Amino acid sequence: MTAYEKVMAARDANKLTSVDYISHMFGDSFIELHGDRRYADDKAVVAGLAMLFDTPVTVIGIEKGRNTKERVERNFGQAHPEGYRKALRLMKQAEKFRRPVLCLVDTSGAYPGIGAEERGQGQAIAENLMEMMTLKTPVLTVLIGEGGSGGALALAVSDEVWMLENSVYSVISPEGCASILWKDSSKAAEAAEALKLTAQDLFDLGVIERIIRQPKAGDQAMFESLKMLIKRTFEKNLALDDEELLNARYERFRKIGIPD
Amino acid sequence: MDLFAFRKPKNELESDEGESKNVPFVPEEMWIKCPKCNTMLLTTDMEENLHVCTKCNHHFRMNGRDRVEMLADKDTFIEFDADLVSHNILDFPGYDQKLEKARKTGAKESVICGECKMNGIDTVLCVMDPTFMMGSMGVVTGEKITRAFEYATENSMPIVVCTAAGGARMQEGILSLMQMAKTSGAVKRHSDAGNLYITVLTDPTTGGVTASFAMDGDIILAEPDCLVAFAGPRVIEQTIRQKLPKDFQTAEFVLQKGFIDSVVSRNNLKSTLVKLLKLHGYSGEEA
């Protein structure tokens, strides 16, 4: 697949969304928790507690919705500041109980709208980046579709970041990039190539740790093996003391793009 | 100092042809029109007034060097990592040419970092330069800011960062996005060690810079009327298909919404910073 075909696959309306992953991996053990305790409950972010085998975990996912009605309700997976604040609230709660945090990311980006700006979209994301860096509990992020810029990074300052083979992660959409740089959004395919946004590109650049095979609905064996991988990673990081855990997380980002 | 190194060198009147037409010789650079009140200002007057309109207080954008000169005590600024410059790490089409063009402004990178004295107080100072690729944050920008915070942490020093950015530098792809996380980590360590961080938002502060270290200051100041946004106004208009209210996303707007501490005019900026530094127990010998 070309880079742009990967972008299209990552946006495919029929692919699995965060709630699908949650139900396949956690079934009935998942209990949803709502609200940022500041302003509202953002439905673009679905979050709660679940059992990963015998370990309680906090799960936070950006949800695009699976049909038109849901997509409207979920604001097409574009979170407002409330969504990021809800995520941070539950991460802090997870820290209190030293519960590992799993983030599932699938968003074209944080919502660019009047209310979002009025309520501090930039501030909300900035706070997440800063607080996640020193969250004293293991955090793992899996990109399951689109990873759109700061809106994705706000849930991805983690010990490890994994990507599904057909997911993408980029500083800007290829269309946006082409229209700003070349005044021509039809050059999106070229921009997608140039931006190096595929899972393989990001693995090669040292930005992610693992590429995951794309699971299909009902492929329970695949979800079980994904769960095992997550469990092992959490166990490895739960064994570290706080200082080791936070130093490793700091260094993970510190080393990215150190110029020659 | 060659203040106009970044301007187009000649206009028609300056050319030989112009002189032969027997028109009075008035270089374009002598005058500048204020975009807010339309007054024609003598460029030298405007510059002496810290690049602020003498009539309506409109704050023109200021390049990094001029701002460092304005904030640091004379001859006290010691620059860090001056030789760290951006490269086309992803082989992005057209980026080499963009960098070359940006360097013709006289700036080497979108941020200048160093330490200096402010009324005698030792301070780390980072100034983003809107004249260099609109201050966009690339790998080198992030690295320089991170190193400045790490230096301030090691030496228990306060840090002042003047932000200006169109956002992340897309020609460096995901690596530019990662600088948001990297800088945030360094800010957090500086903060957790009990050190003071003051942000000064200048025009324009947007995108990935707003969504990282710009909003992380213990105290956040902004220059009058500057743009402070996550998503830029054009992106929002395209999304919601409505015109935005006139003062939306200005410094005054974000002040009213509760996201910054104060709007400070440029002529009061240094004295305000010094006051805040003193209130946090920092002191120094005035030269």
Side-chain angles (χ1 to χ4, degrees):
Chain A
M1 276 204 262
T2 67
Y4 200 53
E5 282 165 353
K6 294 254 184 193
V7 172
M8 289 305 159
R11 290 176 185 164
D12 182 2
N14 296 316
K15 71 170 178 41
L16 302 181
T17 67
S18 287
V19 294
D20 295 318
Y21 280 83
I22 291 170
S23 69
H24 277 91
M25 290 198 289
F26 305 113
D28 287 344
S29 80
F30 180 71
I31 174 157
E32 190 172 358
L33 303 174
H34 294 276
D36 69 347
R37 304 292 191 272
R38 297 285 184 275
Y39 182 78
D41 182 49
D42 188 342
K43 290 193 164 165
V45 175
V46 52
L49 307 176
M51 289 302 282
L52 177 70
F53 301 107
D54 49 4
T55 311
V57 294
T58 293
V59 187
I60 302 166
I62 306 185
E63 174 59 32
K64 284 187 172 177
R66 291 166 298 184
N67 52 50
T68 308
K69 184 171 167 279
E70 279 186 20
R71 280 181 204 114
V72 171
E73 209 174 83
R74 304 282 188 185
N75 201 32
F76 300 86
Q78 294 193 304
H80 281 74
E82 306 68 276
Y84 297 112
R85 291 185 182 128
K86 168 164 74 175
L88 183 58
R89 176 178 79 82
L90 293 172
M91 284 190 243
K92 287 286 192 187
Q93 185 190 75
E95 179 182 55
K96 176 176 171 182
F97 298 104
R98 210 175 159 81
R99 206 158 43 211
V101 179
L102 173 67
C103 296
L104 302 169
V105 170
D106 185 15
T107 180
S108 58
Y111 186 63
I114 291 181
E117 290 289 318
E118 281 179 338
R119 300 195 293 278
Q121 189 71 283
Q123 189 276 336
I125 295 171
E127 190 168 1
N128 279 23
L129 305 187
M130 207 158 91
E131 293 302 325
M132 284 184 82
M133 196 59 94
T134 52
L135 197 77
K136 295 188 193 90
T137 195
V139 192
L140 169 67
T141 297
V142 185
L143 278 99
I144 59 163
E146 278 188 282
S149 199
L153 183 65
L155 293 182
V157 182
S158 313
D159 306 315
E160 293 193 16
V161 177
W162 302 349
M163 286 175 74
L164 293 192
E165 56 186 342
N166 290 344
S167 65
V168 294
Y169 192 10
S170 180
V171 67
I172 187 169
S173 73
E175 292 81 4
C177 176
S179 88
I180 294 171
L181 285 184
W182 305 317
K183 314 280 173 236
D184 184 356
S185 59
S186 69
K187 287 191 175 154
E190 286 160 63
E193 214 61 63
L195 283 166
K196 306 269 192 298
L197 45 63
T198 67
Q200 192 60 51
D201 289 331
L202 270 77
F203 185 81
D204 295 342
L205 288 167
V207 174
I208 62 162
E209 278 74 15
R210 200 184 275 277
I211 300 173
I212 308 283
R213 192 163 58 85
Q214 202 81 22
K216 291 192 180 66
D219 183 358
Q220 204 54 40
M222 176 59 210
F223 284 102
E224 290 302 315
S225 72
L226 179 57
K227 269 168 72 175
M228 274 310 292
L229 274 178
I230 294 169
K231 177 185 148 80
R232 265 190 246 127
T233 305
F234 281 154
E235 278 170 355
K236 185 182 75 186
N237 288 325
L238 279 169
L240 302 175
D241 66 35
D242 289 347
E243 200 184 331
E244 290 171 321
L245 179 70
L246 299 189
N247 277 340
R249 196 180 300 152
Y250 187 83
E251 288 307 321
R252 182 186 184 277
F253 290 93
R254 184 68 188 84
K255 68 180 173 25
I256 295 178
I258 290 188
D260 307 323
Chain B
M1 188 174 52
D2 184 2
L3 286 166
F4 301 116
F6 57 91
R7 290 275 189 78
K8 54 181 177 181
K10 280 192 166 186
N11 66 13
E12 202 185 294
L13 294 175
E14 276 180 283
S15 69
D16 297 341
E17 202 190 337
E19 275 171 56
S20 68
K21 279 182 193 162
N22 200 23
V23 287
F25 177 78
V26 183
E28 181 192 76
E29 287 81 3
M30 267 185 78
W31 297 92
I32 187 159
K33 190 173 171 183
C34 173
K36 202 170 168 196
C37 70
N38 291 327
T39 307
M40 292 301 288
L41 304 165
L42 259 179
T43 309
T44 48
D45 285 355
M46 185 275 281
E47 282 164 3
E48 269 170 37
N49 196 36
L50 306 173
H51 298 251
V52 174
C53 173
T54 48
K55 190 140 183 228
C56 75
N57 201 36
H58 168 72
H59 284 51
F60 287 83
R61 283 179 187 166
M62 215 175 177
N63 73 42
R65 296 279 153 202
D66 288 347
R67 190 177 285 280
V68 167
E69 195 175 308
M70 173 178 90
L71 294 176
D73 296 350
K74 200 171 185 308
D75 298 328
T76 63
F77 186 74
I78 303 163
E79 188 172 353
F80 302 154
D81 305 306
D83 299 328
L84 211 55
V85 292
S86 294
H87 296 284
N88 191 357
I89 34 178
L90 297 186
D91 236 344
F92 199 99
Y95 185 33
D96 289 306
Q97 293 85 323
K98 278 250 164 72
L99 281 173
E100 205 176 304
K101 204 174 141 201
R103 285 182 189 129
K104 286 189 182 143
T105 62
K108 281 200 262 181
E109 194 41 68
S110 64
V111 68
I112 304 171
C113 302
E115 62 179 317
C116 68
K117 289 184 187 295
M118 282 191 197
N119 284 19
I121 302 169
D122 291 311
T123 308
V124 176
L125 176 65
C126 302
V127 173
M128 298 186 82
D129 194 331
T131 64
F132 188 97
M133 293 192 76
M134 199 45 85
S136 63
M137 177 157 65
V139 163
V140 167
T141 323
E143 180 68 18
K144 285 177 79 169
I145 289 171
T146 301
R147 288 188 192 181
F149 271 95
E150 288 176 339
Y151 180 87
T153 308
E154 274 163 38
N155 295 285
S156 305
M157 286 171 76
I159 184 165
V160 173
V161 179
C162 302
T163 60
R169 194 172 301 164
M170 60 187 129
Q171 292 91 344
E172 295 185 11
I174 195 75
L175 299 176
S176 71
L177 187 75
M178 292 301 129
Q179 303 311 308
M180 291 169 64
K182 185 163 106 181
T183 52
S184 300
V187 173
K188 188 69 163 62
R189 287 192 163 187
H190 181 259
S191 177
D192 286 350
N195 301 301
L196 173 67
Y197 167 30
I198 305 176
T199 322
V200 179
L201 312 181
T202 78
D203 193 60
T205 296
T206 67
V209 169
T210 302
S212 59
F213 57 87
M215 286 293 149
D216 290 341
D218 296 298
I219 293 168
I220 306 178
L221 310 176
E223 290 198 333
D225 210 27
C226 72
L227 174 69
V228 182
F230 171 64
R234 248 178 311 170
V235 176
I236 297 175
E237 280 181 348
Q238 281 164 11
T239 308
I240 64 172
R241 295 174 202 285
Q242 290 172 33
K243 272 269 167 222
L244 295 170
K246 195 175 144 278
D247 294 323
F248 188 62
Q249 297 181 315
T250 59
E252 293 73 13
F253 177 87
V254 291
L255 176 73
Q256 191 233 329
K257 294 293 168 195
F259 288 98
I260 63 172
D261 291 286
S262 188
V263 176
V264 180
S265 277
R266 207 171 276 161
N267 57 351
N268 291 327
L269 185 57
K270 185 170 177 179
S271 59
T272 305
L273 290 170
V274 168
K275 216 181 202 175
L276 289 168
L277 289 166
K278 286 183 177 164
L279 282 165
H280 287 81
Y282 299 104
S283 60
E285 291 281 308
E286 273 183 60

